[in-house]
Amino acid sequence: MFFSIIIPVYNRPQEIKMLLDSLQLQEYQDFEVIIVEDGSAFTCDDCILNYKNQLDVHYFFIKNVGQGFARNFGMEKAKGEYFVFFDSDCIIPLGYLKSLKKAIKDRNLDAHGGPDAAASDFSAFQKAINYSMTAFLTTGGIRGKMKAPEKYQARGYNMGFSKKVFDTVGGFIDPNRAEDIELSLRLKKAGFHLELVEEAYVYHRRRNSWKSFLDQSYSFGQNRVHVSRFHPEALQFIHFMPSFFLGGWMLAVLFLLLAMSLYKWLMGLYGIWLLLVFLDASIQEKSIKVGLLSIFTSFGQLSAYGLGLITACWSKTFQEKDG
């Protein structure tokens, strides 16, 4: 068996059906599916029974330990040569595994990360979130549109590595604080070959509300600083750009309140950026509604991420002083 697909799930039984349906349609079929129920109150065991005759699926229930450690449990049970991780809210295009295996063999990969995208039937809000998290105007394309695929830091919703990697460097060392980025950096330092595989994309059906999206963006900023405790090089100048973005519009508001003309210059820059976001998202998704929503998701995401990074840096500085 080549692939072991490992899926941690927590209180999301409704999502597993769509994910398993997409796996059932894969063009490449040499794989097993390992579902690790991470202490859920609402389990998916009844749903999984319907796939016993269609997929080589294995279900485990464990106490709640967090997605990183749930993945570790799944790897311990896996029988395949190469482990692939998906989040439960992903839908997998039918050519995913076929394209991934070809990339592994052709490029001699030990590990990979893949991008996420919005399917045509996603809601306008889901498409706007996807745009704000993947567009060049918001994140610089670091989540899947890189010119240098070897620089990619894989994300847990769509990543994988060989059993040899797991046996050598171990699994995730944190349950849910950028554990995927930390492991990406660790295995690269160990000499393993990890690259972005653009054709191995997933449709990421995020179930965010406005609040949960902003909370998640805030935690992403904090998590970047957390990873830097293990890998100082993980925190680079580019990661502070959202903090500058946040500081810039706060200055503009301050200048406005103080009746200083500088606010016009700053507001003008932000206005141009918002217009570009609107146009780019509208064209990409062929929807003015998505374009309008993308203004708010992009603005909120960068501001929340920037605030999370600032507060985490502040806390880290005082902890180091106290230490």
Side-chain angles (χ1 to χ4, degrees):
M1 181 181 300
F2 190 75
F3 288 119
S4 289
I5 298 173
I6 299 166
I7 306 162
V9 59
Y10 180 69
N11 286 334
R12 292 187 171 186
Q14 73 280 3
E15 294 176 347
I16 287 296
K17 182 180 186 305
M18 290 184 287
L19 175 52
L20 293 180
D21 282 344
S22 67
L23 291 175
Q24 191 176 335
L25 297 174
Q26 287 297 299
E27 295 174 348
Y28 182 85
Q29 286 287 321
D30 186 18
F31 66 89
E32 65 175 349
V33 181
I34 297 174
I35 296 176
V36 183
E37 191 87 64
D38 188 22
S40 302
F42 306 102
T43 62
C44 57
D45 49 337
D46 289 342
C47 172
I48 292 168
L49 288 174
N50 297 323
Y51 294 88
K52 284 291 185 180
N53 295 326
Q54 289 80 35
L55 291 169
D56 182 11
V57 58
H58 308 276
Y59 174 79
F60 301 93
F61 184 95
I62 62 173
K63 69 177 183 179
N64 181 245
V65 293
Q67 60 188 10
F69 295 159
R71 294 187 193 111
N72 290 347
F73 179 91
M75 284 186 280
E76 292 170 356
K77 302 295 182 181
K79 300 175 182 176
E81 299 175 35
Y82 192 97
F83 306 150
V84 179
F85 307 99
F86 297 131
D87 281 356
S88 61
D89 57 355
C90 290
I91 298 172
I92 317 304
L94 57 87
Y96 179 100
L97 291 177
K98 182 178 180 181
S99 297
L100 177 58
K101 185 172 184 183
K102 184 176 187 304
I104 291 170
K105 298 300 184 183
D106 291 351
R107 294 156 62 178
N108 195 29
L109 299 179
D110 299 302
H112 84 285
D116 54 349
S120 59
D121 63 343
F122 282 16
S123 71
F125 182 55
Q126 288 172 324
K127 291 177 180 178
I129 289 178
N130 179 75
Y131 174 84
S132 65
M133 298 186 77
T134 61
F136 177 79
L137 287 170
T138 55
T139 62
I142 63 173
R143 286 175 63 98
K145 300 175 184 178
M146 303 181 71
K147 293 182 179 179
E150 68 278 3
K151 295 182 178 180
Y152 189 64
Q153 296 172 1
R155 270 67 172 178
Y157 60 80
N158 179 13
M159 68 179 290
F161 47 80
S162 67
K163 185 178 186 300
K164 180 181 178 181
V165 169
F166 178 61
D167 290 341
T168 303
V169 304
F172 300 92
I173 65 172
D174 198 281
N176 56 13
R177 292 185 296 174
E179 72 286 350
D180 41 13
I181 294 174
E182 187 285 323
L183 182 54
S184 294
L185 293 169
R186 181 158 34 103
L187 68 87
K188 286 182 179 181
K189 288 179 178 179
F192 289 108
H193 185 192
L194 183 156
E195 286 190 1
L196 169 69
V197 179
E198 287 193 44
E199 58 271 30
Y201 64 92
V202 301
Y203 295 123
H204 205 170
R205 189 183 288 273
R206 300 178 181 88
R207 298 293 183 178
N208 293 90
S209 64
W210 280 104
K211 182 181 183 303
S212 69
F213 175 60
L214 294 177
D215 288 344
Q216 184 183 56
S217 299
Y218 177 84
S219 69
F220 285 166
Q222 291 202 311
N223 291 345
R224 175 59 64 170
V225 179
H226 175 68
V227 172
S228 71
R229 299 172 187 268
F230 303 98
H231 308 280
E233 73 280 8
L235 188 58
Q236 299 180 10
F237 178 78
I238 191 173
H239 299 116
F240 286 91
M241 295 305 291
S243 300
F244 296 144
F245 176 92
L246 172 66
W249 71 254
M250 292 180 71
L251 274 178
V253 172
L254 178 62
F255 291 157
L256 175 62
L257 294 175
L258 295 176
M260 297 174 64
S261 60
L262 281 173
Y263 86 89
K264 295 180 180 179
W265 181 74
L266 281 172
M267 288 295 192
L269 290 177
Y270 280 90
I272 292 171
W273 177 78
L274 291 172
L275 177 61
L276 290 173
V277 165
F278 167 72
L279 293 174
D280 190 39
S282 297
I283 292 170
Q284 283 193 32
E285 295 296 338
K286 299 180 176 61
S287 168
I288 291 176
K289 182 179 181 180
V290 173
L292 289 170
L293 286 171
S294 295
I295 291 174
F296 295 99
T297 56
S298 299
F299 190 91
Q301 174 192 302
L302 291 178
S303 298
Y305 185 102
L307 182 60
L309 190 140
I310 290 171
T311 56
C313 284
W314 184 271
S315 298
K316 180 184 177 184
T317 299
F318 275 95
Q319 288 175 4
E320 290 174 350
K321 285 183 178 179
D322 293 340

